[in-house]
């Protein structure tokens, strides 16, 4: 099988109403990626996820630098292709960020082709592990711009849908407000529901140490991205001192960076995101690394779960998967949660195939 055409796309899917965390405002989710056409009629779909900013740089990287190297290649040589693109002409300007997100889209499209050609959902091609459904936690009721009333109302309706774990954003200018909001949510949802909080890098070490200790009393499943993601040393201090596990990974781009976090004991829930680490090829290596340290993987869903459901289903140490339903309607087989658990996909591929009309409806020229 050979690739005969590579074509980038940028889709902006509206988020209603717009949401904020401590560093982002999002009115749309950017679904930016590539369709890879083959001489056997199979088309692979791969994409990364953005807050609808910078997508044109990702698409340009694909079209101008990666596409020409893909033509004529056998998709089953995915690891060789990955190396060629990773260490090709874009290596000088990027070992993370834009170039890695573009490579993620390509790599995911290649795995989509391999799974389709094998006539299996990706999780089976990778070697299935979960015989039971994947437990989901819901992030979509806990945004920073929600009033306390809305937080509690949304969390309550999420629990009624069957979820048993929820995440909320913190990182308000005054941490006392965060404390009051977490306290109110914990009271509302009761002791039996898993609760995580996400700082989105907004604190410094002093704030994190002080308020992390105060928040311990709410029995949090984890404290997410408290600090700058380059600051391994201070995450290590928090991991040592706090009785709340440290979760991070959505801004960590390579197996080497994860190795340093993991080996230094600076991360306790590994949130490796396939749309950031240049795709499935690197994700699997990081999952193996985490397994060797007996660390749980709970991916951040830049893909909104479409691809990660396959990865979690085939990874023994992946224990939980985030759920945000913003873009599921655009896919031929949307990621689906019932009674708090992902329903494993059955169609061949990586669940990345987009319904044709959405290329018209949401395309950004
Ligand atoms: Mg986060």
């Amino acid at each position: 099988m050979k690739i005969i055409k590579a074509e980038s796309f940028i889709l902006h899917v509206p988020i209603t109403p717009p949401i904020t965390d401590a560093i982002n405002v999002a009115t749309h989710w950017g679904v930016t990626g590539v369709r890879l056409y083959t001489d056997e009629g199979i088309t692979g779909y791969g994409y990364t996820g953005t807050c609808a900013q910078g997508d044109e740089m990702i698409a340009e990287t694909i079209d101008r630098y990666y596409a020409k190297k893909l033509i004529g290649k056998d998709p089953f040589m995915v690891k060789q292709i990955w190396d060629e693109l990773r260490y090709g002409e874009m290596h000088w300007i990027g070992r993370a960020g834009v170039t890695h997100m573009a490579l993620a889209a390509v790599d995911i499209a290649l795995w989509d082709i391999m799974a389709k050609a094998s006539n299996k959902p990706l999780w089976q091609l990778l070697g299935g592990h979960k015989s039971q459904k994947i437990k989901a936690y819901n992030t979509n009721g806990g945004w920073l711009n929600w009033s306390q009333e809305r937080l509690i109302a949304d969390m309550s309706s999420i629990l009624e849908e069957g979820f048993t774990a929820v995440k909320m954003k913190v990182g308000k200018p005054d941490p006392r407000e965060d404390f009051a909001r977490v306290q109110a949510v914990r009271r509302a949802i009761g002791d039996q529901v898993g609760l995580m909080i996400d700082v989105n890098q907004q604190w410094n070490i002093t704030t994190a140490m002080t308020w992390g200790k105060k928040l311990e009393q709410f029995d949090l499943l984890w404290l997410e991205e408290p600090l700058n993601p380059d600051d391994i040393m201070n995450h290590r201090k928090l991991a040592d001192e706090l009785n709340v596990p440290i979760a991070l990974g959505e801004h960590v781009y390579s197996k080497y960076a994860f190795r340093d976090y993991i080996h230094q004991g600076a991360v306790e829930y590994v949130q490796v995101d396939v749309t950031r680490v240049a795709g499935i090829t690197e994700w699997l290596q990081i999952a193996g690394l985490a397994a060797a340290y007996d660390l749980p993987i709970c991916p951040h869903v830049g893909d909104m779960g479409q691809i990660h459901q396959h990865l979690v289903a085939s990874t023994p140490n992946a224990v939980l998967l985030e759920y945000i339903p913003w873009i599921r309607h655009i896919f031929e087989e949307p990621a689906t949660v019932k009674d708090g658990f992902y329903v494993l996909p059955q169609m061949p591929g990586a669940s990345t195939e987009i319904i044709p009309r959405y290329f018209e409806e949401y395309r950004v020229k």
Side-chain angles (χ1 to χ4, degrees), residues 244-263:
V244 181
I246 302 300
L248 57 86
E250 66 187 86
H251 287 86
V252 180
Y253 280 93
S254 72
K255 60 176 174 276
Y256 298 105
F258 274 105
R259 177 199 62 189
D260 292 346
Y261 260 109
I262 288 171
H263 187 64

Side-chain angles (χ1 to χ4, degrees), residues 167 169 198 200 224-225 250 271 300 322:
K167 189 163 84 186
K169 300 290 183 178
D198 186 355
N200 289 99
E224 180 170 324
E225 277 204 312
E250 66 187 86
Q271 296 181 302
H300 170 263
E322 185 171 27

Side-chain angles (χ1 to χ4, degrees), residues 281-308:
T281 300
E282 182 97 340
W283 193 98
L284 295 172
Q285 295 174 66
I286 294 161
L289 170 70
Y293 282 80
D294 206 18
L295 286 177
I297 289 187
C298 302
H300 170 263
V301 291
D303 66 329
M304 299 295 141
Q306 290 291 134
I307 305 143
H308 280 112

Side-chain angles (χ1 to χ4, degrees), residues 1 9 34-38 41-47 75-76 78 104-123 125-126 279-281 306-307 310-311 331-333 345 347-354 359:
M1 190 190 304
F9 59 82
V34 67
R35 273 181 286 189
L36 298 180
Y37 300 86
T38 65
I42 293 174
T43 303
Y45 292 64
Y47 64 94
F76 279 87
V78 58
V106 170
D107 181 86
I108 291 162
L110 293 169
W111 281 94
D112 184 41
I113 292 170
M114 289 192 290
K116 284 172 174 164
S118 307
N119 200 30
K120 296 208 176 300
L122 177 65
W123 63 273
L125 178 70
L126 293 171
I280 293 162
T281 300
Q306 290 291 134
I307 305 143
H310 294 269
L311 302 181
F331 294 100
E332 295 282 0
E333 189 179 28
M347 284 171 61
S351 302
T352 49
E353 186 153 340
I354 294 166
F359 283 101

Side-chain angles (χ1 to χ4, degrees), residues 133-138 154-166 192-194 320 323 337-342:
K133 290 173 284 187
I134 299 162
K135 186 171 172 177
Y137 78 86
N138 197 315
D154 280 14
M155 294 292 192
S156 304
S157 67
I158 284 168
L159 298 183
E160 278 166 24
E161 288 169 35
F163 287 91
T164 55
V166 290
Q192 299 304 308
V193 174
L320 189 61
Y323 179 73
V337 169
K338 282 211 175 99
D339 299 325
F341 291 86
Y342 273 87

